[in-house]
Amino acid sequence: MEPDLKDKQTKQASRRKHDHLLPGRDPDEFIVMDVSHIPDKSSTRNKKLSVQKMSECILKALTPHFNVLSEITFGKHEDMFLDPYMAEISSLILQRKIKISLGIFTRISEKSVQALGRCLQNINRLSVDEQLLLPQAVIILREYVEKLAIPQELTINRKTVATWLNEWKIHAGHPQDKVLQILQLLLGKIKTLIIADVMTYEIMEGLIPHLNVLDEVEFGENGNNINLDQYMGRITQCILEREEEISLVIRTKIDIPSLRHISPTFKKLRSLTIDEKYLPASTRAHLREDVYRLVPIGHVLKVNGLDSAIWVQKWFIYDWKPEDIIYRSLMWLACSAQTKAVAILTNLTDQIMETLTPLVTGVLHEIQFGNPETGADINLDRNMVSLSQWIRNRQRMIDIKLFTGLSAIGIHCLGKCLPRISELSIYEELLSPLCRSLLCEFVYKLSEPQQQALKINGISASIWSRPLEVLRTHSIKRAVHILSKKPNEKFFPAEKAKILFLMKKISDPIMEALAPHISTLAYINLGANTALDRYMDKISTLILRRKTKIDLAISYKINRTSAMWLGRCLPKVNNLIIYDHTMSPECYGVLSKYVLQLAKPEDLMINRINGILWTKKRSGKGNQPSGVLWTNVWDEYGDKTSQEFVQKLKHHSLTDMKSVLSIMDTYGK
């Protein structure tokens, strides 16, 4: 048999062997609904398993995988009868040498929660659907969490242990006859109480003593109507009797009389959060008038995250509901003298454009198009010609926020009015490489002072036009296209870049396109790159060939071999940021060894301290490890792929070592 034919048949046989496997949304995830869905042990090393059906045969087949998995989840927010197997699962987790991420999205009994509590010391990230658990089971879990020797090493539902222990959420599924008893048991032990989707007389009676000691109370979830209006008078009376300030959060519908109850409590509120998209325009208008008139002079009140004086100047136009007629909102907007900022979260219509005309050309300081949570299309392209003309006719500068897609024509219109824009925020995930390149061309046409004055996504335009961003939402083809632009192409060539944020998982085509950049980049952030171990040897070799040093950021755990390759290229690294919270002691040892072998280890900065101090901190001879910096960033933003995460990642990646902006300014000169 010819070698080529033999290889072909071998590949086909291998493909048939794994045809029964069910891949998840993540390339490193396998879905298990039957014994045949469980891959061999070598295929699950550092991978995720999502078990959606359970039996003795499945548990027996899963047993050898528990030592090599990085994450395992059970259930999909419904019953899967996990209780008979929970004790064995707990025992398998306890036998691991390193910690594992565990998710339980099914109903389990109090006895199973006890089994879970016994293995918490070997879990680094726990996700549980608390809505499926009885309150008594959650209390048992809290008791086990409180007994942990090192609670800082565990996160629960993407929250630190301290934050999770200070919160309690009441759901409609909780037995109402037990609510009062449980609230009495928790008195003084929690700082935040969330009443999600039900409000009853029993809950109100249990809430009253808590209102004297809570730091924050939250009503409603996702706009669910919990009939809060009939209880609002008693709630505000309890708030007025407090000595200290409290934070009030309302995520449900309320009427104007309820707002009148809230107004006198402004002096007792630290912050007020009201989800306005669930309120009609008339109610929102009354709230603004009350905040504008009744907030005591000198009292700092945060409303929806903004100072009250700034919040009253901003008006949101939401997707219209039957009770929220468009002309009422637009009429109030046209008549309001204090409105200086407008956010349009719905399709642009001729009526909206007609109302905006005098505002954009005159009084507005800021205008936002699109919803940052969804990035949905609002038909902005059709109106960009008119908007561009209005902005160019302004006497003063304006801030623009674009959280919706734009075509090349829309970007062309935006580019023409850049001289009248002081700050531009734009979702780069929604920009094609062509549109981003076109916007860069308009930035280059600005004078040097204009480039320095204009801020794009928080940094000066001259610096913004330098970095390349390859995001997780980009396809491999687009990622390669971004990295492979030649200098003779019409639009922005990749060779001009000095800074690279690579958030896309590395593959062979991406690595091939990335290779030429490593010799010229001044700073590269490899993001949360799950395929880094496979390519670390190539990246290290390319860094060693550089003539000058580079700044490097790695925000995903690496194995011992990758730590060795990273250590070999340290002579060509000036500043290193590494997500060292999940690195094994073995990796620390390997990397520390290479740090100490440097001619001048003190010249290398690792996580904002010099190399020698970093090795001492990691060996326990110093103070709190600097990896806490990255831990906080990761816990806060998790696996989000939104532009917000990318922007926060930029600003946190070199925080306190050097200012990101100052480093970028250095590279941009």
Side-chain angles (χ1 to χ4, degrees):
M1 185 180 294
E2 295 181 6
D4 291 344
L5 182 58
K6 184 176 181 180
D7 291 343
K8 184 176 181 180
Q9 290 179 348
T10 303
K11 290 180 181 178
Q12 289 175 346
S14 176
R15 193 180 299 116
R16 284 196 298 271
K17 178 183 176 182
H18 295 284
D19 276 346
H20 58 277
L21 300 182
L22 297 179
R25 292 182 180 180
D26 192 308
D28 294 330
E29 180 182 15
F30 295 97
I31 296 175
V32 177
M33 300 184 70
D34 191 77
V35 175
S36 62
H37 297 155
I38 302 175
D40 54 58
K41 184 176 178 180
S42 61
S43 302
T44 60
R45 184 172 295 277
N46 297 323
K47 299 292 180 68
K48 307 174 186 176
L49 282 185
S50 176
V51 183
Q52 297 182 3
K53 286 189 177 181
M54 198 63 180
S55 67
E56 290 185 7
C57 295
I58 291 177
L59 180 59
K60 185 176 180 180
L62 285 175
T63 300
H65 296 270
F66 268 87
N67 289 328
V68 297
L69 286 171
S70 65
E71 180 176 339
I72 187 167
T73 64
F74 297 93
K76 49 179 182 179
H77 305 282
E78 59 186 31
D79 287 345
M80 64 173 289
F81 306 108
L82 190 62
D83 288 327
Y85 316 102
M86 199 61 210
E88 180 66 20
I89 292 170
S90 174
S91 176
L92 291 170
I93 292 175
L94 280 171
Q95 293 172 19
R96 285 175 58 94
K97 295 181 179 179
I98 59 175
K99 298 191 175 186
I100 190 174
S101 296
L102 176 65
I104 297 180
F105 306 112
T106 183
R107 198 181 306 276
I108 57 175
S109 66
E110 296 176 27
K111 186 175 181 181
S112 295
V113 171
Q114 291 174 350
L116 171 63
R118 289 193 292 270
C119 67
L120 284 177
Q121 63 197 54
N122 250 18
I123 298 174
N124 58 12
R125 187 175 297 181
L126 175 64
S127 300
V128 292
D129 190 342
E130 296 180 58
Q131 194 166 353
L132 294 176
L133 299 182
L134 291 173
Q136 298 92 320
V138 180
I139 288 177
I140 291 172
L141 181 60
R142 290 169 63 92
E143 291 173 352
Y144 276 97
V145 171
E146 289 171 350
K147 295 176 182 177
L148 286 175
I150 312 178
Q152 296 86 351
E153 295 182 358
L154 173 66
T155 61
I156 304 177
N157 292 342
R158 292 190 177 179
K159 298 174 183 176
T160 63
V161 165
T163 302
W164 184 79
L165 286 174
N166 281 329
E167 288 185 1
W168 185 265
K169 182 179 287 190
I170 299 175
H171 291 284
H174 292 171
Q176 293 301 301
D177 57 336
K178 300 288 185 180
V179 167
L180 185 58
Q181 177 185 350
I182 291 171
L183 286 177
Q184 290 173 348
L185 183 65
L186 293 171
L187 185 61
K189 297 181 180 180
I190 57 174
K191 296 298 182 183
T192 301
L193 180 61
I194 303 171
I195 301 172
D197 49 14
V198 62
M199 188 68 184
T200 63
Y201 175 79
E202 290 80 7
I203 293 176
M204 186 66 229
E205 290 300 311
L207 172 64
I208 290 174
H210 280 274
L211 285 175
N212 293 322
V213 295
L214 287 174
D215 288 343
E216 180 178 317
V217 61
E218 181 174 331
F219 300 96
E221 189 175 56
N222 301 323
N224 294 326
N225 191 352
I226 63 172
N227 298 318
L228 185 62
D229 292 321
Q230 58 181 307
Y231 303 101
M232 207 64 215
R234 295 186 67 186
I235 292 169
T236 53
Q237 184 62 38
C238 292
I239 292 175
L240 284 171
E241 294 172 358
R242 284 175 57 97
E243 295 183 0
E244 299 179 354
E245 295 178 349
I246 189 174
S247 296
L248 177 62
V249 180
I250 298 176
R251 304 191 190 279
T252 183
K253 296 178 181 179
I254 56 173
D255 56 22
I256 293 176
S258 293
L259 286 180
R260 299 301 187 203
H261 284 299
I262 296 175
S263 300
T265 67
F266 287 159
K267 60 185 177 182
K268 290 291 186 179
L269 295 183
R270 183 187 309 109
S271 66
L272 173 63
T273 302
I274 293 187
D275 209 331
E276 296 184 68
K277 63 175 173 285
Y278 303 124
L279 305 180
S282 56
T283 305
R284 292 190 286 131
H286 277 285
L287 180 60
R288 274 169 173 74
E289 292 294 334
D290 288 346
V291 172
Y292 184 71
R293 292 183 296 104
L294 300 178
V295 172
I297 297 175
H299 177 63
V300 178
L301 172 64
K302 295 284 185 180
V303 182
N304 290 349
L306 302 172
D307 286 343
S308 57
I310 297 175
W311 177 81
V312 297
Q313 298 178 4
K314 191 164 187 174
W315 184 254
F316 292 85
I317 302 177
Y318 293 97
D319 293 333
W320 308 115
K321 310 176 188 67
E323 69 272 20
D324 194 5
I325 302 173
I326 187 171
Y327 78 86
R328 292 182 183 175
S329 182
L330 294 177
M331 181 176 64
W332 189 91
L333 175 61
C335 298
S336 174
Q338 67 260 30
T339 301
K340 303 298 181 184
V342 174
I344 300 167
L345 282 70
T346 186
N347 280 340
L348 276 173
T349 63
D350 293 338
Q351 193 175 9
I352 294 176
M353 290 297 293
E354 184 179 345
T355 306
L356 284 178
T357 303
L359 299 175
V360 175
T361 55
V363 299
L364 286 184
H365 296 168
E366 177 188 306
I367 187 166
Q368 171 184 322
F369 296 99
N371 190 337
E373 296 178 2
T374 63
D377 183 24
I378 63 168
N379 200 25
L380 181 60
D381 270 321
R382 187 171 69 90
N383 300 285
M384 272 308 294
V385 175
S386 300
L387 284 170
S388 178
Q389 184 63 44
W390 297 344
I391 293 172
R392 280 181 286 165
N393 291 338
R394 286 177 58 91
Q395 298 298 317
R396 294 186 298 179
M397 307 291 278
I398 189 172
D399 294 346
I400 304 290
K401 296 182 177 181
L402 298 177
F403 302 126
T404 184
L406 279 179
S407 66
I409 296 175
I411 292 293
H412 183 82
C413 296
L414 175 66
K416 292 173 70 173
C417 62
L418 283 181
R420 306 309 305 163
I421 298 176
S422 57
E423 186 164 345
L424 173 65
S425 299
I426 189 166
Y427 252 10
E428 296 184 53
E429 289 183 352
L430 301 176
L431 290 181
S432 66
L434 173 68
C435 289
R436 193 187 194 283
S437 303
L438 184 59
L439 188 57
C440 287
E441 289 295 314
F442 278 100
V443 170
Y444 296 150
K445 292 177 182 179
L446 298 174
S447 65
E448 186 65 27
Q450 286 177 325
Q451 288 188 28
Q452 295 296 329
L454 172 62
K455 300 289 185 183
I456 301 181
N457 290 345
I459 57 178
S460 67
S462 60
I463 306 305
W464 175 86
S465 60
R466 297 296 183 93
L468 290 177
E469 286 188 345
V470 182
L471 307 178
R472 295 187 192 183
T473 52
H474 290 158
S475 65
I476 292 179
K477 183 177 179 182
R478 176 177 285 191
V480 172
H481 180 65
I482 293 171
L483 291 168
S484 302
K485 286 187 171 295
K486 308 301 180 189
N488 58 355
E489 290 194 26
K490 180 179 179 180
F491 296 104
F492 179 69
E495 282 77 357
K496 289 184 179 180
K498 293 295 183 184
I499 302 162
L500 172 64
F501 295 92
L502 183 59
M503 306 301 165
K504 181 77 177 175
K505 182 177 178 179
I506 300 180
S507 61
D508 290 340
I510 292 177
M511 187 65 226
E512 185 178 349
L514 172 67
H517 293 281
I518 294 181
S519 62
T520 59
L521 287 169
Y523 168 60
I524 181 170
N525 188 324
L526 293 173
N529 221 303
T530 55
L532 190 58
D533 287 328
R534 181 180 171 189
Y535 297 96
M536 198 63 210
D537 56 339
K538 296 180 181 179
I539 294 172
S540 175
T541 303
L542 290 167
I543 290 176
L544 278 172
R545 293 175 183 172
R546 288 174 55 94
K547 295 181 179 179
T548 58
K549 291 188 176 184
I550 189 174
D551 286 355
L552 181 63
I554 297 173
S555 52
Y556 194 81
K557 58 185 178 183
I558 57 176
N559 60 25
R560 182 184 185 282
T561 305
S562 293
M564 179 192 70
W565 283 108
L566 176 60
R568 289 184 180 182
C569 69
L570 287 181
K572 291 293 184 179
V573 176
N574 188 36
N575 298 299
L576 174 64
I577 289 291
I578 185 164
Y579 181 37
D580 57 7
H581 180 63
T582 56
M583 286 179 67
S584 66
E586 188 178 22
C587 289
Y588 287 130
V590 170
L591 194 55
S592 297
K593 174 183 175 182
Y594 280 96
V595 170
L596 295 175
Q597 287 177 355
L598 294 173
K600 293 184 177 181
E602 64 275 8
D603 290 345
L604 171 65
M605 298 294 292
I606 304 179
N607 293 349
R608 65 190 169 89
I609 57 176
N610 72 59
I612 295 178
L613 289 178
W614 182 82
T615 58
K616 290 181 179 179
K617 284 179 178 286
R618 303 323 309 166
S619 62
K621 298 178 181 177
N623 298 320
Q624 180 69 20
S626 57
V628 170
L629 169 68
W630 266 104
T631 306
N632 292 340
V633 177
W634 192 259
D635 287 345
E636 183 179 355
Y637 299 104
D639 296 327
K640 292 182 182 177
T641 57
S642 65
Q643 186 71 6
E644 178 190 4
F645 170 69
V646 175
Q647 292 303 321
K648 295 292 184 182
L649 193 61
K650 287 181 187 178
H651 289 280
H652 279 288
S653 58
L654 296 177
T655 300
D656 297 332
M657 183 183 74
K658 286 185 178 179
S659 166
V660 174
L661 301 183
S662 65
I663 288 180
M664 286 185 170
D665 286 336
T666 302
Y667 296 154
K669 291 179 180 178

